[in-house]
Amino acid sequence: MAMDLTNAQVLDFLVGGSLIDSGGSLMQEKYNISDDITTYSIEQWADLHDRSVKAQWFLDNYEEIKSKFETVINGQIKFRQFQGWLYDKGFKGASKMKEAEVKALIAENDHREAVSQQDYLLEKEKERGTNETSEFSRGVDAEIANSIAAYKASIDKDIAALEGSPQFQSAIEEWKKSKSKELTWATAALKGGAHGLAHPKFAGAEPQPTLRGGSWTWGGQRPTDSVNRDVARTVNSVASNFGRGLGRVSRFFGIGGKS
């Protein structure tokens, strides 16, 4: 019949218990060992054996274990020291980069403001130049207008005086009559050709057609030619005076011609 060794005790012949209460507590707390070995079962003795084997391995490799842990600890220390050095370099470098960035931004802002100021100055100079040109043009236009008005007033005065002259009025009337007769001749020529011009009402007044240079012209001198010349000379004299006045105005302002 097999024996049940579960919880079997080997040293149960001894009187057990702790020598002093504090001693038993100390062994349990510090080493996880019960000081009353009289109560140990076979399984506890086996567990003690396993613990001792592991303890012996620890003792045999104690220096090696210390070396390994020291290496790990020193590596961790060096890692943190490396991080400290890295952060120190990083923050100092970042500060210098920020300083450079701020300087660049300040330079950019100064440049932008300088350009804005120069653009503003340019616009104001353009406005000033435009205003000066406008004022200059207004002055020139006013002087030219005043000069033209003065000459026109003088010519109008001459024309008014001329129109009040009986001789001029008589010449105008004669010229109008001659023009009316020419239109009558032209109508007769248009409707009757040479036969129309031979009508009795034109007796002694009609011009005789002659051929010159391959085209028909009126021969002789028309009765109204002298009247036309008188009127033309009078009007041309007035127009010539007006033209000379305008020429002097143009030369004065440098518009054309030579002074």
Side-chain angles (χ1 to χ4, degrees), residues 25 33 53 83 146 178 244 257:
S25 299
I33 294 175
V53 171
Q83 285 185 315
N146 290 336
S178 68
R244 284 194 297 273

Side-chain angles (χ1 to χ4, degrees), residues 139-215:
V140 171
D141 292 343
E143 292 184 17
I144 292 177
N146 290 336
S147 297
I148 292 176
Y151 278 104
K152 182 178 181 302
S154 176
I155 295 302
D156 289 343
K157 182 179 179 180
D158 292 341
I159 292 175
L162 188 63
E163 289 177 347
S165 170
Q167 182 180 359
F168 178 78
Q169 292 298 327
S170 176
I172 289 295
E173 292 300 324
E174 289 295 330
W175 179 75
K176 289 180 179 179
K177 290 179 182 180
S178 68
K179 285 299 178 183
S180 297
K181 187 177 293 185
E182 285 182 352
L183 291 177
T184 303
W185 287 346
T187 301
L190 179 63
K191 293 183 176 181
H195 294 288
L197 295 177
H199 194 280
K201 68 179 178 180
F202 299 127
E206 68 276 12
Q208 299 298 323
T210 58
L211 181 64
R212 295 181 181 178
S215 61

Side-chain angles (χ1 to χ4, degrees), residues 101-178:
E101 179 184 353
V102 170
K103 288 183 179 179
L105 290 173
I106 292 174
E108 179 188 25
N109 184 70
D110 290 344
H111 170 71
R112 183 170 53 249
E113 292 300 324
V115 170
S116 298
Q117 293 171 9
Q118 293 303 316
D119 288 342
Y120 180 80
L121 179 61
L122 176 60
E123 288 302 319
K124 289 303 178 182
E125 284 297 314
K126 287 181 179 179
E127 292 178 8
R128 179 191 59 78
T130 301
N131 292 336
E132 288 183 358
T133 301
S134 298
E135 292 300 320
F136 174 79
S137 300
R138 287 177 57 193
V140 171
D141 292 343
E143 292 184 17
I144 292 177
N146 290 336
S147 297
I148 292 176
Y151 278 104
K152 182 178 181 302
S154 176
I155 295 302
D156 289 343
K157 182 179 179 180
D158 292 341
I159 292 175
L162 188 63
E163 289 177 347
S165 170
Q167 182 180 359
F168 178 78
Q169 292 298 327
S170 176
I172 289 295
E173 292 300 324
E174 289 295 330
W175 179 75
K176 289 180 179 179
K177 290 179 182 180
S178 68

